Amino acid sequence: MRTYIADIKKMDDGDELTVKGWVQETRKIKNLMFIIVRDNTGIIQVTAKKDKLSNYDQFYDITRESVISVHGTLNKKSVSKAGMEILGTEIEILSLSDTPLPLGVIDRVSADFDTRFNNRFLDLRKPEHLIIFQFESQLLYGIREYMNRENFIEVHTPKIVGAATEGGADLFRVEYFERDAFLNQSPQLYKEILISSGFDKVFEVGPAFRAEKENTVRHLNEFTSIDMEAAFIDDRKAMEYLENAISYAVNRTVDFMGLKLQEYGYNVEKIYPPFPKITYEKALEELNKKGLKLNFGDDLSPEANKALAENFEGFYFITGWPSDMRPFYTHPDTDPKITKSFDLQLNDIEVTSGAQRMHNYKMLDENFIKKGLNKQNFEFYEKAFKYGMPPHAGWGLGLERLVMNLLKLNNVRESTLFPRDRTRLSP
Ligand code: AMO
């Protein structure tokens, strides 16, 4: 029976137990050795005395980060900092670590980015890094719970595809037998097809691939997209699902692990919908008041996003983006220059894009031509609009960007286990 270190505090003085984990540090005094053992729930001191441990000599040269199994009795009257220790009676070395370590796990000095990510397996042993992914896991659990409660069906659409989703650029090409294929940029076209299939409400959590050359703190070439699409709803309702899903997931996670997050310096506040909204045109007005010189149709630069974020706290929507700035599938508003679309921002970074989509076959058909796209590539998609397509709307939420923003990390790679970027393809 293995005991997790976090559970030891519930045990009694004198109880027998076995813990398994990594040797974080050792300190030796003649016939006595102190070993700090770490598992993914905490650390504990193991005290090993030569006269109590049959393999003491073999154990004496144990290296940092070796994996061991410790059996012993719990001493809750210990003079150690934690007030607890295990008096070891049997210690087994399960895997001896090599030396020197390419990256220290508990070193105070921080290593450079490349050293960290080249040795990500060690970098992730740091509890302050592990907790980012425990947070991500809980957050996603909350989103899934919310979507399930709202009767969304979780789906899995192909990642090897024959056509571009978001317009044509930024595709990774792959060999597909005798043909060229691409890694999908977004499940967009497939989630819309499923609306025509009568699924009514779908969501997907999966990888999305973008051959974007930008090497910024916000861009990955492979990220996790949380996508949803629903029939008979408009952009407003899609925004409501989004703010409710995020609030539910964040608040549940704060209840579950808020204190632990604080211990590691991450302060996540509870959030309450509705999130404020500003139209794109109003945002330009506000930005121009701040001295930026932006015209209708201009994208919001990182500098503009920073300036706009000063007007808000936390999450806010930018709605009504110009038609020229949105993909071909976006539904126009009554004024055809603008669309029924939105971005959700957290501080100065976009975390979600969404919109009501075109559902009228003829309108969609014309838009392919307007956007200069090769219609033939989209035949499989357009066909689904020909035989009964409900009005629909949806969004795509970048998981790594959401986590990065909620934990106030300064680089999206920090919330990615093994980031793929312009230069990194390994590990
Ligand atoms: P969009 O291209 O805006 O929209 O992507 C949606 C969300 O995905 C995340 N994201 C990224 N995260 C990390 N690195 C990247 N290179 C990257 N690119 C995008 C962002 C972004 O907000 N089909 C539409 C969604 C929809 O309308 O349903 C789409 O893909 O968080």
Side-chain angles (χ1 to χ4, degrees):
M1 268 280 282
R2 173 187 175 199
T3 302
Y4 283 98
I5 291 170
D7 294 333
I8 295 177
K9 56 179 179 298
K10 293 182 237 156
M11 298 176 71
D12 295 322
D13 185 47
D15 279 356
E16 272 195 49
L17 75 168
T18 304
V19 300
K20 293 171 196 253
W22 282 262
V23 173
Q24 182 161 296
E25 259 182 295
T26 57
R27 207 149 42 86
K28 296 160 194 170
I29 309 166
K30 236 178 150 191
N31 293 331
L32 189 67
M33 209 169 135
F34 301 107
I35 309 141
I36 304 296
V37 181
R38 182 188 70 244
D39 70 13
N40 80 341
T41 68
I43 56 168
I44 183 120
Q45 175 178 301
V46 174
T47 304
K49 290 184 181 154
K50 190 175 171 123
D51 58 342
K52 291 270 164 41
L53 202 68
S54 56
N55 62 343
Y56 186 87
D57 291 333
Q58 180 205 358
F59 200 74
Y60 199 75
D61 291 323
I62 187 84
T63 48
R64 278 165 72 186
E65 296 304 317
S66 292
V67 177
I68 60 170
S69 171
V70 180
H71 186 78
T73 48
L74 181 60
N75 173 17
K76 282 204 145 174
K77 298 178 189 108
S78 156
V79 289
S80 70
K81 226 177 11 186
M84 284 195 300
E85 68 185 327
I86 298 172
L87 303 170
T89 50
E90 270 176 67
I91 304 182
E92 193 187 342
I93 301 171
L94 301 175
S95 162
L96 191 66
S97 170
D98 222 339
T99 54
L101 292 168
L103 177 75
V105 173
I106 53 161
D107 296 5
R108 292 281 168 263
V109 282
S110 56
D112 67 81
F113 201 84
D114 273 344
T115 307
R116 280 186 52 204
F117 280 80
N118 287 341
N119 298 285
R120 189 64 162 153
F121 68 99
L122 277 173
D123 188 51
L124 291 170
R125 282 188 201 171
K126 290 175 193 268
E128 65 273 29
H129 294 164
L130 166 68
I131 199 172
I132 296 171
F133 299 95
Q134 288 169 327
F135 175 75
E136 182 189 276
S137 168
Q138 286 301 320
L139 202 64
L140 197 54
Y141 184 91
I143 291 176
R144 278 207 164 94
E145 198 176 285
Y146 175 83
M147 299 307 268
N148 275 293
R149 232 178 36 205
E150 293 290 334
N151 294 319
F152 281 84
I153 306 174
E154 183 163 2
V155 297
H156 302 281
T157 64
K159 303 303 156 210
I160 305 175
V161 296
T165 319
E166 304 299 312
D170 303 331
L171 281 161
F172 285 113
R173 199 178 287 273
V174 291
E175 250 176 59
Y176 193 74
F177 306 109
E178 300 76 27
R179 280 183 287 167
D180 271 349
F182 307 98
L183 296 180
N184 209 0
Q185 297 168 298
S186 147
Q188 183 66 37
L189 308 186
Y190 292 94
K191 61 183 184 172
E192 289 195 68
I193 292 175
L194 290 173
I195 293 302
S196 157
S197 305
F199 277 44
D200 206 77
K201 288 170 162 177
V202 293
F203 83 102
E204 174 163 8
V205 182
F209 305 90
R210 306 273 168 107
E212 286 160 341
K213 294 210 171 78
E214 285 120 309
N215 218 7
T216 77
V217 295
R218 304 182 308 281
H219 286 91
L220 295 165
N221 293 111
E222 176 178 352
F223 67 94
T224 308
S225 188
I226 306 171
D227 272 84
M228 89 86 175
E229 201 68 30
F232 305 107
I233 69 161
D234 62 4
D235 47 328
R236 296 272 139 182
K237 184 66 189 173
M239 281 188 265
E240 213 178 291
Y241 278 128
L242 180 59
E243 60 196 5
N244 287 338
I246 292 180
S247 310
Y248 176 76
V250 168
N251 296 352
R252 185 195 156 279
T253 307
V254 170
D255 283 339
F256 183 73
M257 60 183 294
L259 289 176
K260 195 170 161 204
L261 284 163
Q262 267 173 23
E263 244 176 74
Y264 291 103
Y266 304 114
N267 282 310
V268 186
E269 303 275 333
K270 286 199 173 179
I271 45 175
Y272 300 95
F275 300 156
K277 295 183 180 76
I278 184 169
T279 63
Y280 168 82
E281 282 184 279
K282 182 82 182 140
L284 290 192
E285 228 175 79
E286 292 293 317
L287 289 168
N288 287 341
K289 268 193 231 160
K290 291 177 190 255
L292 281 91
K293 293 192 174 62
L294 293 167
N295 295 310
F296 186 85
D298 285 346
D299 212 345
L300 302 187
S301 62
E303 184 200 8
N305 276 315
K306 273 207 176 71
L308 188 62
E310 289 165 6
N311 296 16
F312 298 95
E313 254 174 58
F315 287 100
Y316 58 96
F317 286 107
I318 307 176
T319 63
W321 289 82
S323 305
D324 288 346
M325 296 176 75
R326 298 304 267 209
F328 64 89
Y329 50 76
T330 316
H331 202 291
D333 212 328
T334 26
D335 170 359
K337 274 205 315 300
I338 57 171
T339 52
K340 297 180 84 163
S341 62
F342 56 86
D343 278 359
L344 179 67
Q345 307 275 126
L346 176 50
N347 307 317
D348 60 332
I349 291 181
E350 173 207 318
V351 292
T352 314
S353 276
Q356 187 176 326
R357 328 293 190 184
M358 293 207 188
H359 62 279
N360 181 296
Y361 178 82
K362 219 173 130 245
M363 258 167 84
L364 183 67
D365 201 55
E366 282 164 12
N367 223 28
F368 279 123
I369 299 160
K370 255 193 236 158
K371 295 269 182 191
L373 295 165
N374 183 355
K375 242 181 61 173
Q376 267 171 351
N377 292 337
F378 295 93
E379 249 171 42
F380 74 99
Y381 165 76
E382 237 195 330
K383 203 167 156 189
F385 287 69
K386 225 174 176 173
Y387 305 97
M389 172 61 101
H392 58 284
W395 39 255
L397 163 64
L399 179 62
E400 295 84 355
R401 279 207 195 163
L402 180 66
V403 170
M404 166 200 183
N405 257 308
L406 287 169
L407 298 183
K408 301 177 187 74
L409 307 173
N410 51 26
N411 193 321
V412 71
R413 290 162 185 77
E414 301 281 0
S415 55
T416 311
L417 285 173
F418 303 105
R420 292 289 172 261
D421 66 25
R422 189 77 175 90
T423 51
R424 182 168 290 281
L425 193 53
S426 171

PDB file of all heavy atoms in Angstrom, residues 334-347:
ATOM      1  N   THR A 334     -26.775  43.192 -39.970  1.00  0.00           N
ATOM      2  CA  THR A 334     -27.680  43.878 -40.891  1.00  0.00           C
ATOM      3  C   THR A 334     -26.903  44.845 -41.776  1.00  0.00           C
ATOM      4  O   THR A 334     -27.191  44.992 -42.966  1.00  0.00           O
ATOM      5  CB  THR A 334     -28.811  44.615 -40.131  1.00  0.00           C
ATOM      6  OG1 THR A 334     -28.336  44.925 -38.827  1.00  0.00           O
ATOM      7  CG2 THR A 334     -30.067  43.760 -40.021  1.00  0.00           C
ATOM      8  N   ASP A 335     -25.896  45.505 -41.194  1.00  0.00           N
ATOM      9  CA  ASP A 335     -24.954  46.276 -42.009  1.00  0.00           C
ATOM     10  C   ASP A 335     -23.907  45.277 -42.514  1.00  0.00           C
ATOM     11  O   ASP A 335     -23.133  44.740 -41.711  1.00  0.00           O
ATOM     12  CB  ASP A 335     -24.302  47.355 -41.128  1.00  0.00           C
ATOM     13  CG  ASP A 335     -23.136  48.045 -41.821  1.00  0.00           C
ATOM     14  OD1 ASP A 335     -22.822  47.678 -42.978  1.00  0.00           O
ATOM     15  OD2 ASP A 335     -22.527  48.930 -41.200  1.00  0.00           O
ATOM     16  N   PRO A 336     -23.865  44.988 -43.816  1.00  0.00           N
ATOM     17  CA  PRO A 336     -23.004  43.894 -44.301  1.00  0.00           C
ATOM     18  C   PRO A 336     -21.499  44.162 -44.132  1.00  0.00           C
ATOM     19  O   PRO A 336     -20.693  43.253 -44.334  1.00  0.00           O
ATOM     20  CB  PRO A 336     -23.383  43.792 -45.785  1.00  0.00           C
ATOM     21  CG  PRO A 336     -23.999  45.109 -46.138  1.00  0.00           C
ATOM     22  CD  PRO A 336     -24.614  45.660 -44.890  1.00  0.00           C
ATOM     23  N   LYS A 337     -21.150  45.387 -43.765  1.00  0.00           N
ATOM     24  CA  LYS A 337     -19.715  45.672 -43.539  1.00  0.00           C
ATOM     25  C   LYS A 337     -19.205  44.999 -42.267  1.00  0.00           C
ATOM     26  O   LYS A 337     -18.019  44.779 -42.095  1.00  0.00           O
ATOM     27  CB  LYS A 337     -19.500  47.200 -43.376  1.00  0.00           C
ATOM     28  CG  LYS A 337     -19.328  47.948 -44.688  1.00  0.00           C
ATOM     29  CD  LYS A 337     -18.556  49.245 -44.535  1.00  0.00           C
ATOM     30  CE  LYS A 337     -18.920  50.160 -43.384  1.00  0.00           C
ATOM     31  NZ  LYS A 337     -20.289  50.679 -43.320  1.00  0.00           N
ATOM     32  N   ILE A 338     -20.142  44.734 -41.362  1.00  0.00           N
ATOM     33  CA  ILE A 338     -19.704  44.083 -40.120  1.00  0.00           C
ATOM     34  C   ILE A 338     -20.357  42.712 -39.951  1.00  0.00           C
ATOM     35  O   ILE A 338     -21.333  42.387 -40.607  1.00  0.00           O
ATOM     36  CB  ILE A 338     -19.937  44.972 -38.875  1.00  0.00           C
ATOM     37  CG1 ILE A 338     -21.397  45.379 -38.751  1.00  0.00           C
ATOM     38  CG2 ILE A 338     -19.028  46.168 -38.859  1.00  0.00           C
ATOM     39  CD1 ILE A 338     -21.702  46.071 -37.442  1.00  0.00           C
ATOM     40  N   THR A 339     -19.771  41.924 -39.044  1.00  0.00           N
ATOM     41  CA  THR A 339     -20.230  40.542 -38.878  1.00  0.00           C
ATOM     42  C   THR A 339     -20.788  40.319 -37.483  1.00  0.00           C
ATOM     43  O   THR A 339     -20.531  41.100 -36.562  1.00  0.00           O
ATOM     44  CB  THR A 339     -19.048  39.569 -39.061  1.00  0.00           C
ATOM     45  OG1 THR A 339     -17.988  40.012 -38.202  1.00  0.00           O
ATOM     46  CG2 THR A 339     -18.575  39.529 -40.493  1.00  0.00           C
ATOM     47  N   LYS A 340     -21.519  39.221 -37.347  1.00  0.00           N
ATOM     48  CA  LYS A 340     -22.060  38.833 -36.041  1.00  0.00           C
ATOM     49  C   LYS A 340     -21.006  37.980 -35.331  1.00  0.00           C
ATOM     50  O   LYS A 340     -21.192  36.792 -35.108  1.00  0.00           O
ATOM     51  CB  LYS A 340     -23.370  38.076 -36.229  1.00  0.00           C
ATOM     52  CG  LYS A 340     -24.445  38.951 -36.883  1.00  0.00           C
ATOM     53  CD  LYS A 340     -25.737  38.217 -37.082  1.00  0.00           C
ATOM     54  CE  LYS A 340     -26.536  38.280 -35.803  1.00  0.00           C
ATOM     55  NZ  LYS A 340     -27.958  37.965 -35.959  1.00  0.00           N
ATOM     56  N   SER A 341     -19.890  38.621 -35.061  1.00  0.00           N
ATOM     57  CA  SER A 341     -18.733  37.880 -34.533  1.00  0.00           C
ATOM     58  C   SER A 341     -18.229  38.525 -33.248  1.00  0.00           C
ATOM     59  O   SER A 341     -18.595  39.652 -32.923  1.00  0.00           O
ATOM     60  CB  SER A 341     -17.612  37.901 -35.564  1.00  0.00           C
ATOM     61  OG  SER A 341     -17.205  39.243 -35.782  1.00  0.00           O
ATOM     62  N   PHE A 342     -17.385  37.800 -32.569  1.00  0.00           N
ATOM     63  CA  PHE A 342     -16.804  38.327 -31.315  1.00  0.00           C
ATOM     64  C   PHE A 342     -15.460  37.676 -31.027  1.00  0.00           C
ATOM     65  O   PHE A 342     -15.180  36.566 -31.500  1.00  0.00           O
ATOM     66  CB  PHE A 342     -17.761  38.075 -30.141  1.00  0.00           C
ATOM     67  CG  PHE A 342     -18.134  36.623 -29.970  1.00  0.00           C
ATOM     68  CD1 PHE A 342     -17.343  35.751 -29.223  1.00  0.00           C
ATOM     69  CD2 PHE A 342     -19.275  36.096 -30.582  1.00  0.00           C
ATOM     70  CE1 PHE A 342     -17.685  34.413 -29.080  1.00  0.00           C
ATOM     71  CE2 PHE A 342     -19.622  34.749 -30.443  1.00  0.00           C
ATOM     72  CZ  PHE A 342     -18.826  33.913 -29.689  1.00  0.00           C
ATOM     73  N   ASP A 343     -14.661  38.392 -30.270  1.00  0.00           N
ATOM     74  CA  ASP A 343     -13.465  37.817 -29.653  1.00  0.00           C
ATOM     75  C   ASP A 343     -13.642  37.977 -28.160  1.00  0.00           C
ATOM     76  O   ASP A 343     -14.176  39.003 -27.721  1.00  0.00           O
ATOM     77  CB  ASP A 343     -12.202  38.599 -30.065  1.00  0.00           C
ATOM     78  CG  ASP A 343     -11.684  38.166 -31.436  1.00  0.00           C
ATOM     79  OD1 ASP A 343     -12.283  37.268 -32.053  1.00  0.00           O
ATOM     80  OD2 ASP A 343     -10.669  38.753 -31.873  1.00  0.00           O
ATOM     81  N   LEU A 344     -13.207  37.002 -27.408  1.00  0.00           N
ATOM     82  CA  LEU A 344     -13.172  37.184 -25.960  1.00  0.00           C
ATOM     83  C   LEU A 344     -11.724  37.465 -25.576  1.00  0.00           C
ATOM     84  O   LEU A 344     -10.819  36.714 -25.939  1.00  0.00           O
ATOM     85  CB  LEU A 344     -13.686  35.942 -25.221  1.00  0.00           C
ATOM     86  CG  LEU A 344     -13.657  36.074 -23.696  1.00  0.00           C
ATOM     87  CD1 LEU A 344     -14.646  37.127 -23.203  1.00  0.00           C
ATOM     88  CD2 LEU A 344     -13.946  34.735 -23.012  1.00  0.00           C
ATOM     89  N   GLN A 345     -11.548  38.550 -24.861  1.00  0.00           N
ATOM     90  CA  GLN A 345     -10.214  38.953 -24.429  1.00  0.00           C
ATOM     91  C   GLN A 345     -10.092  38.721 -22.928  1.00  0.00           C
ATOM     92  O   GLN A 345     -11.069  38.918 -22.191  1.00  0.00           O
ATOM     93  CB  GLN A 345     -10.012  40.455 -24.679  1.00  0.00           C
ATOM     94  CG  GLN A 345     -10.297  40.912 -26.084  1.00  0.00           C
ATOM     95  CD  GLN A 345      -9.088  40.724 -26.971  1.00  0.00           C
ATOM     96  OE1 GLN A 345      -9.193  40.092 -28.016  1.00  0.00           O
ATOM     97  NE2 GLN A 345      -7.946  41.274 -26.572  1.00  0.00           N
ATOM     98  N   LEU A 346      -8.908  38.335 -22.493  1.00  0.00           N
ATOM     99  CA  LEU A 346      -8.621  38.345 -21.060  1.00  0.00           C
ATOM    100  C   LEU A 346      -7.375  39.207 -20.916  1.00  0.00           C
ATOM    101  O   LEU A 346      -6.326  38.874 -21.461  1.00  0.00           O
ATOM    102  CB  LEU A 346      -8.389  36.930 -20.522  1.00  0.00           C
ATOM    103  CG  LEU A 346      -7.996  36.849 -19.042  1.00  0.00           C
ATOM    104  CD1 LEU A 346      -8.928  37.636 -18.150  1.00  0.00           C
ATOM    105  CD2 LEU A 346      -7.933  35.402 -18.570  1.00  0.00           C
ATOM    106  N   ASN A 347      -7.542  40.305 -20.205  1.00  0.00           N
ATOM    107  CA  ASN A 347      -6.510  41.333 -20.166  1.00  0.00           C
ATOM    108  C   ASN A 347      -6.212  41.748 -21.603  1.00  0.00           C
ATOM    109  O   ASN A 347      -7.120  42.106 -22.314  1.00  0.00           O
ATOM    110  CB  ASN A 347      -5.295  40.869 -19.368  1.00  0.00           C
ATOM    111  CG  ASN A 347      -5.730  40.373 -17.980  1.00  0.00           C
ATOM    112  OD1 ASN A 347      -6.567  41.014 -17.339  1.00  0.00           O
ATOM    113  ND2 ASN A 347      -5.238  39.241 -17.564  1.00  0.00           N
TER     114      ASN A 347
END
